[in-house]
Amino acid sequence: MYSLILLVCAVQLNFLWLFGYSPTKKDILLPTLRVSSELYTADSVLIGRYFEEDRDPVTYDSISKNILNALIATEDVRFYKHRGVDFIGLFSSVLSTIRGDKRGGSTITQQLAKNLYRTRYNQSQGLLGRIPIVRMGVTKFKEWMTAYKLESKYQKKEIITMYLNTVSFSNNAYGIKSASLRYFNKQPNALSASESAVLIGMLKGTTLYNPIRNPDKSIERRNIVLKQMQKEGYIDGEQYNTFSKEPLGLNINNPDREGTNDSYLRAAVQKWLERWSEEQGVDIYTAGLKIYTTIDSRMQQLAEETVAKQMKGLQERLDNTWRDEEPWRDKNGKVIPGFLEEKARKLPIYLALMKEYDDDEEQVFQLLQKPKKMKVFTWTGEKDVEMSTMDSLKHYVSMLNTGMMAMDPYNGEIKIWIGGINHRYYKFDHVNQAKRQAGSTFKPFVYLTALENGMEPCDTYEDKPVRLDFINNEGEKEVWEPKNADWSFSYRNMSLRWAMARSLNTITAQITRDVGWDKIVETAHRVGIESHLESVPSVGLGSNDVSVFEMVNAYATFMNEGKRVDPILVSKIYDNGGKLIASFQTTEKQVVDPENAWLMTYMLRGTIEEPGGTSQALWEWDLFGNENQVGGKTGTSSDYVDGWYMGVTKDLVAGVWVGCDEQSIRFKNSQTGEGSKTALPIYATFMEALYKRPELGVTEGKFPDPKVEIEKKYNCPSPRIRIEAPNDSITAEIDIEDSDEQILITLPEVDNTEKTEIER
């Protein structure tokens, strides 16, 4: 007896580090389950999980009796009679092993101890663990002690529930709920006796008896479990005969389990929580958290449907642009030699083949040109094709991608987040990770700087050729002569509002010269752009790379009376017990004078209201009921590589980028590739659908009135003539130089079968 007591104490205290770790009293009272954390939208829709082991614990009452019966009949028939260690069962297993029928003697409680406290892992072993036979003896003894501790603290139903929540069922399914959903797409309380026997049968060997990999072996093992259930009286002979003849009946096509863990949003939240997790010492992969985002699932779905529809059409347009030509081109439009081969050299398969074939690149490329069966992503779904590695590489690099984000400009809550066309095939997030030339969407920061330097929206500049002499960063003299998008000059005096509406490079360049490009960089950083910006004369035309995330944040500053807010993607976090452990609100800082901020929203409306405004394509959509006001800005980078649209309404700020990841692949002209033809339709279609769902909180209406007195002159309508034919549908607007009046001209009925030109 004294020797036994000394042994127990020595093992428990890990005397001289001989025995390794043993679970403490605290461990027994609070056993740690490595529970997956769940990710929810603001309206409580589950959209993803974070896990090392995909585990979702359930209560005893949520488990089918069939599961409990199958487990006890197969693993521990005396479960309700022993106190953790079944010496009668152990003696019986020894006799069975001697007779050639190898059977384990561990009870369910012992197996729980092994699963909970990992008693057989190397980190649980002491110095004696280096001796094979002694190691097993010490491990078994510790499991017995731990089993007794568990039985003294928990009821039998709690023990069997904990066991079913911890055990592995292969295919990254840990616990009975994950397994039930993974293999049968059912909750664990709905499993039949036959289905329960399949899952419990896997516990003897999760690979050997895996119903997906080895269905025949799984059926064989299932029937053994059913036989044990019959032997212990849980089913009768007739039921056994029926169940043992049934097919496996797997249902592994659960979209909720397959799609939620492969999304841009899940990856974005993970990155967003990195600092919080580190500061709090919380592992989101094992803590069983309930994480609530600010995303509205209904808005997100509308946006995803819009993107899928619009991007499919845009991809067809790009494919038709090049047809049988190679699309990768340099600045002069010439095919880039060796482009695809250079991309192939970065592939893991290329490196593996080079190693296998002793760096014989010619032979490697012959193999890469060889067709084989594979699945590829297309806008009509995944397709089974026979295609070479080089052909598939061409397919993927030629795909257009997109990034889209929308947020509430007042509280910073992000409402939609679309990082790309398909996260499974394109992991790179085009909202926050990708940075591309902003083009003309950057121009509002130039005009804001002008307002902050004392200018007014009605101040005028002439649309004329501009020459800027400057010293570059290397101290060399350079000359910059920007041209308008149509390569023409009207030589007309235009107000700042009209010039921004028409996105004139010449006037933007003159303002840049007058206010200084260093100030424009400072303004952009102040309102929300965090990327490095080269302070050069072309900064106002969007020559720097920025992200969709930054642009949405910056435009939100205009709508929020000049207060910059920090966008938030996560609102609340609850622990595994349902206790709120963290909540997040935005912080805001006044960075722009409220008068200038309101004037910028007025100028953004000008892209729709002013003659020739670049956002006037929005009139094609049903967006202007109930006196609704929309502001925005298109953007197109050089050679139509990037298309942008930034849109603002009284409730929402949104940004859209469209382009290829490979910047050498692009559209050929403005009719197909500018932002008003690529990104704007995505924004417009989304907002049109959103306005039809007023319950989502985004409704039509005017921009908020200014809360401060507007002292600067801003109401200066641009000159135009409106021409109407009373008996026909002809309507036209003609800009008139040096006129501040609107002149109405009524024409007699005309034959509009031919194009009629009206000269002023």
Side-chain angles (χ1 to χ4, degrees):
M1 182 63 69
Y2 285 129
S3 298
L4 181 60
I5 293 173
L6 286 173
L7 177 61
V8 170
C9 292
V11 171
Q12 192 66 35
L13 297 173
N14 192 17
F15 180 67
L16 295 179
W17 300 281
L18 292 172
F19 303 98
Y21 159 82
S22 291
T24 64
K25 181 180 179 181
K26 182 180 178 181
D27 292 331
I28 297 300
L29 289 174
L30 298 170
T32 302
L33 289 179
R34 302 169 71 81
V35 182
S36 61
S37 293
E38 295 179 335
L39 185 65
Y40 292 88
T41 59
D43 49 331
S44 300
V45 175
L46 178 65
I47 54 174
R49 290 183 174 85
Y50 301 99
F51 55 81
E52 289 179 356
E53 301 172 348
D54 187 5
R55 192 191 313 278
D56 191 4
V58 292
T59 62
Y60 180 82
D61 295 335
S62 300
I63 303 172
S64 167
K65 286 291 184 184
N66 292 316
I67 282 286
L68 301 174
N69 295 340
L71 178 63
I72 291 171
T74 309
E75 298 292 326
D76 192 356
V77 293
R78 290 173 42 80
F79 175 69
Y80 292 106
K81 299 177 181 178
H82 60 67
R83 295 286 297 167
V85 180
D86 183 11
F87 289 105
I88 295 176
L90 182 62
F91 180 73
S92 175
S93 70
V94 171
L95 289 179
S96 297
T97 301
I98 293 173
R99 293 171 182 165
D101 180 16
K102 189 175 181 180
R103 239 192 309 168
S106 294
T107 64
I108 289 174
T109 315
Q110 285 176 253
Q111 293 180 52
L112 174 62
K114 179 179 67 175
N115 293 339
L116 277 179
Y117 307 110
R118 300 173 179 256
T119 54
R120 301 191 183 188
Y121 281 56
N122 288 331
Q123 54 266 39
S124 299
Q125 305 300 318
L127 296 175
L128 293 177
R130 300 176 182 177
I131 307 173
I133 298 177
V134 176
R135 172 191 174 107
M136 182 53 67
V138 172
T139 297
K140 273 291 183 184
F141 189 74
K142 288 197 294 183
E143 285 179 5
W144 289 353
M145 289 196 306
T146 305
Y148 274 118
K149 292 176 187 177
L150 287 168
E151 291 274 352
S152 67
K153 296 296 181 183
Y154 298 103
Q155 298 177 8
K156 288 288 186 180
K157 69 177 184 179
E158 293 173 318
I159 289 172
I160 200 169
T161 301
M162 281 193 286
Y163 173 78
L164 286 168
N165 280 328
T166 58
V167 71
S168 169
F169 290 90
S170 189
N171 288 100
N172 208 12
Y174 293 83
I176 191 61
K177 182 177 179 180
S178 292
S180 301
L181 292 169
R182 182 81 65 196
Y183 296 106
F184 296 106
N185 196 15
K186 288 184 177 181
Q187 293 294 329
N189 61 355
L191 291 172
S192 66
S194 178
E195 293 164 342
S196 300
V198 171
L199 296 181
I200 297 303
M202 292 178 67
L203 300 180
K204 186 174 178 65
T206 54
T207 300
L208 180 61
Y209 300 114
N210 188 302
I212 298 174
R213 299 178 184 176
N214 299 306
D216 293 337
K217 286 287 186 183
S218 178
I219 290 175
E220 181 182 323
R221 178 62 186 166
R222 176 200 67 181
N223 292 346
I224 292 175
V225 174
L226 289 171
K227 195 67 176 178
Q228 285 296 111
M229 293 175 71
Q230 180 192 0
K231 179 180 177 182
E232 299 303 324
Y234 294 120
I235 60 175
D236 57 33
E238 184 178 347
Q239 288 175 310
Y240 168 77
N241 290 331
T242 301
F243 295 152
S244 62
K245 294 175 183 177
E246 290 181 353
L248 286 173
L250 300 180
N251 183 355
I252 58 175
N253 297 315
N254 185 340
D256 293 333
R257 307 294 292 187
E258 291 174 358
T260 53
N261 264 17
D262 194 22
S263 71
Y264 295 102
L265 186 54
R266 178 186 178 277
V269 171
Q270 176 187 343
K271 188 173 181 62
W272 201 86
L273 286 175
E274 279 179 356
R275 181 180 297 178
W276 177 85
S277 300
E278 185 176 343
E279 291 174 351
Q280 302 299 318
V282 176
D283 185 353
I284 64 173
Y285 292 91
T286 60
L289 306 175
K290 300 289 187 290
I291 303 166
Y292 284 83
T293 68
T294 58
I295 298 294
D296 187 297
S297 68
R298 299 158 297 179
M299 285 192 198
Q300 180 76 12
Q301 183 178 355
L302 287 177
E304 289 175 355
E305 291 172 352
T306 296
V307 165
K309 181 179 179 180
Q310 294 296 319
M311 289 301 293
K312 179 182 178 182
L314 289 172
Q315 186 64 51
E316 291 174 354
R317 185 193 300 173
L318 181 64
D319 293 342
N320 290 333
T321 295
W322 297 103
R323 295 186 182 275
D324 298 326
E325 299 180 77
E326 303 292 7
W328 37 86
R329 305 289 172 127
D330 61 18
K331 292 288 185 180
N332 298 316
K334 295 181 179 180
V335 174
I336 300 174
F339 172 86
L340 209 57
E341 288 74 14
E342 193 59 36
K343 296 297 176 186
R345 291 186 180 100
K346 298 177 182 179
L347 297 176
I349 188 174
Y350 170 86
L351 299 176
L353 289 173
M354 286 290 284
K355 184 177 181 180
E356 182 179 349
Y357 290 95
D358 299 325
D359 293 332
D360 185 348
E361 189 175 66
E362 183 178 350
Q363 187 173 1
V364 167
F365 273 113
Q366 286 178 357
L367 292 170
L368 293 179
Q369 293 283 5
K370 187 177 180 180
K372 56 187 175 182
K373 291 182 179 180
M374 63 176 72
K375 287 183 181 291
V376 296
F377 165 74
T378 73
W379 281 111
T380 55
E382 275 190 344
K383 282 191 175 181
D384 292 308
V385 297
E386 191 165 304
M387 186 180 285
S388 72
T389 300
M390 298 300 288
D391 288 336
S392 69
L393 182 59
K394 178 181 178 180
H395 171 77
Y396 284 117
V397 300
S398 301
M399 293 288 286
L400 279 171
N401 225 309
T402 189
M404 182 178 183
M405 172 182 153
M407 67 177 273
D408 184 319
Y410 310 111
N411 60 23
E413 292 184 355
I414 298 172
K415 296 301 181 183
I416 67 167
W417 185 296
I418 298 178
I421 55 175
N422 189 292
H423 189 259
R424 179 178 176 184
Y425 291 93
Y426 298 90
K427 300 296 183 186
F428 200 58
D429 191 313
H430 298 83
V431 168
N432 205 19
Q433 289 180 299
K435 295 186 178 184
R436 303 293 287 257
Q437 284 192 355
S440 295
T441 56
F442 205 87
K443 287 177 181 174
F445 308 135
V446 177
Y447 288 85
L448 172 60
T449 308
L451 296 180
E452 291 180 332
N453 276 264
M455 298 187 197
E456 301 180 344
C458 290
D459 288 346
T460 61
Y461 276 83
E462 185 181 354
D463 174 22
K464 63 182 180 180
V466 182
R467 174 189 172 100
L468 273 71
D469 298 301
F470 67 100
I471 306 297
N472 64 22
N473 294 333
E474 285 74 35
E476 300 171 342
K477 292 183 178 180
E478 283 194 35
V479 176
W480 183 50
E481 297 181 281
K483 304 293 189 298
N484 289 326
D486 61 2
W487 291 78
S488 67
F489 310 100
S490 67
Y491 296 94
R492 175 180 293 135
N493 287 321
M494 295 186 176
S495 68
L496 295 189
R497 187 181 194 240
W498 192 10
M500 193 182 91
R502 294 190 57 171
S503 199
L504 294 175
N505 294 339
T506 54
I507 292 180
T508 303
Q510 293 177 66
I511 297 172
T512 301
R513 175 198 61 200
D514 293 347
V515 302
W517 38 89
D518 288 344
K519 284 190 176 181
I520 294 169
V521 168
E522 187 276 329
T523 298
H525 281 150
R526 179 161 30 95
V527 298
I529 303 299
E530 297 183 349
S531 296
H532 171 72
L533 301 174
E534 288 290 337
S535 184
V536 292
S538 62
V539 63
L541 304 190
S543 58
N544 285 287
D545 292 342
V546 295
S547 69
V548 172
F549 182 92
E550 294 172 297
M551 292 296 286
V552 171
N553 190 22
Y555 272 63
T557 303
F558 301 145
M559 293 302 301
N560 195 31
E561 303 170 23
K563 294 188 285 287
R564 174 180 171 178
V565 298
D566 288 330
I568 57 173
L569 187 55
V570 174
S571 58
K572 296 178 181 179
I573 301 177
Y574 295 86
D575 66 14
N576 195 30
K579 178 183 177 182
L580 180 67
I581 60 173
S583 60
F584 304 91
Q585 290 84 34
T586 189
T587 58
E588 65 177 24
K589 180 181 179 181
Q590 191 76 46
V591 296
V592 176
D593 181 79
E595 179 184 11
N596 289 331
W598 186 87
L599 288 172
M600 284 306 302
T601 66
Y602 174 73
M603 291 178 69
L604 286 170
R605 282 167 40 201
T607 63
I608 297 170
E609 299 171 354
E610 293 281 352
T614 55
S615 295
Q616 289 187 347
L618 291 178
W619 290 105
E620 296 179 20
W621 284 267
D622 185 13
L623 300 176
F624 299 97
N626 301 314
E627 299 183 294
N628 189 46
Q629 292 178 334
V630 181
K633 190 71 192 72
T634 57
T636 310
S637 66
S638 300
D639 301 317
Y640 316 104
V641 173
D642 306 285
W644 288 77
Y645 192 76
M646 301 298 304
V648 296
T649 66
K650 67 180 182 64
D651 297 319
L652 203 66
V653 177
V656 182
W657 166 86
V658 174
C660 285
D661 286 328
E662 295 298 332
Q663 297 188 37
S664 60
I665 303 175
R666 54 192 182 267
F667 289 100
K668 289 183 178 181
N669 51 52
S670 62
Q671 286 75 23
T672 56
E674 66 181 19
S676 63
K677 303 295 195 305
T678 59
L680 181 147
I682 294 176
Y683 171 79
T685 304
F686 166 69
M687 292 301 298
E688 184 180 60
L690 188 56
Y691 281 142
K692 294 176 181 177
R693 301 281 301 277
E695 71 274 12
L696 302 186
V698 177
T699 56
E700 296 173 324
K702 292 184 176 182
F703 279 23
D705 292 329
K707 296 182 180 179
V708 296
E709 184 179 355
I710 306 300
E711 297 180 349
K712 294 181 178 180
K713 183 180 179 182
Y714 66 90
N715 188 12
C716 43
S718 300
R720 68 181 73 190
I721 289 181
R722 183 172 178 80
I723 302 173
E724 295 180 354
N727 300 316
D728 205 281
S729 59
I730 294 177
T731 300
E733 287 186 357
I734 298 178
D735 300 333
I736 300 295
E737 291 186 40
D738 305 321
S739 171
D740 293 327
E741 300 179 356
Q742 289 192 0
I743 306 169
L744 181 64
I745 299 177
T746 301
L747 300 179
E749 184 176 353
V750 296
D751 180 6
N752 68 344
T753 57
E754 296 183 3
K755 200 169 182 179
T756 303
E757 182 176 332
I758 305 170
E759 298 180 357
R760 56 175 179 265

